[in-house]
Amino acid sequence: MAHVDDRELRPLRDLTGPAQITGDAVALDLPPAGVGMRILGVIIDLIVWAVTFFCLNWAALKLVGTASDAVRAGWSIVVLVTSFVLLPTVVETLTLGRSLGKLILGMRVVRTDGGAISFRHALVRSFVGFVEIIGTAGMVALITATLTSRARRLGDLAAGTYVVRETRGLTLPPPAQMPRQLAAWADSPAVVSPLPQDLAARMAFLVRQQHVMRTPAFNAVVTQTLREVLPHVTPPPPPGHDPFAVLVAISVLRRDADARRIERDARIRRSVLGR
């Protein structure tokens, strides 16, 4: 079968719009945050991290006392990295993508397929953000967010994430269920290894189209997507099943795995915070 490229997906996307492309475990049907809102959120976060830096740096310099200038400079660098890279990473990991600025403005970081971010995503965003926001006074981040779809800065592009607006009163369709004929295979247990972000987003979008007419073009995209997904699935599903049903089953497996990870993170957070 000929490769099905992104242009052939556009008519299917248009049936529901880009805000409908959602992923696993996080119930999202949300539009991306605009550049202006993101700038305001970054300003709030920068104030928080700057205050943190000055407080920690003052404490560190008090501790080293009359140490050499090289030691004092070394401690300042450690505090700088801690304040602007490590702390934002920990906060976004524990809050599932909400820094203080995002929380105040009703925003959240998600993967490009709509799923919850992990420590890896948060670390990449913070590390690249330190360079593009702190190192260039925000100019690189502003230019990139203005030129890319969904206002993604370099950190988002590197991590495979974007920022959404969390609206209230949103009605969501019920989540996909495991097809009965594939339940035994899923309980084997089947495991889905991490997918490339664009592939995960495409699969999540297709699974949402359960009520779309199964045209030849739709079936071709489903078959092509399934072929790309199967190398990431162990053990592979039994042959002879409808490709769309298999894609739904794999998506449900990913969603359930994400849900377990989120619950595990929540237990850790409760144990750390003592509540």
Side-chain angles (χ1 to χ4, degrees), residues 7-26:
R7 286 173 295 181
E8 294 181 70
L9 282 172
R10 287 176 189 167
L12 299 178
R13 279 199 189 95
D14 291 341
L15 294 174
T16 54
Q20 300 270 348
I21 303 177
T22 62
D24 308 318
V26 179

Side-chain angles (χ1 to χ4, degrees), residues 95-108:
T95 61
L96 300 179
R98 296 184 185 94
S99 62
L100 180 61
K102 295 179 183 66
L103 181 63
I104 292 174
L105 297 175
M107 299 186 294
R108 181 188 212 169

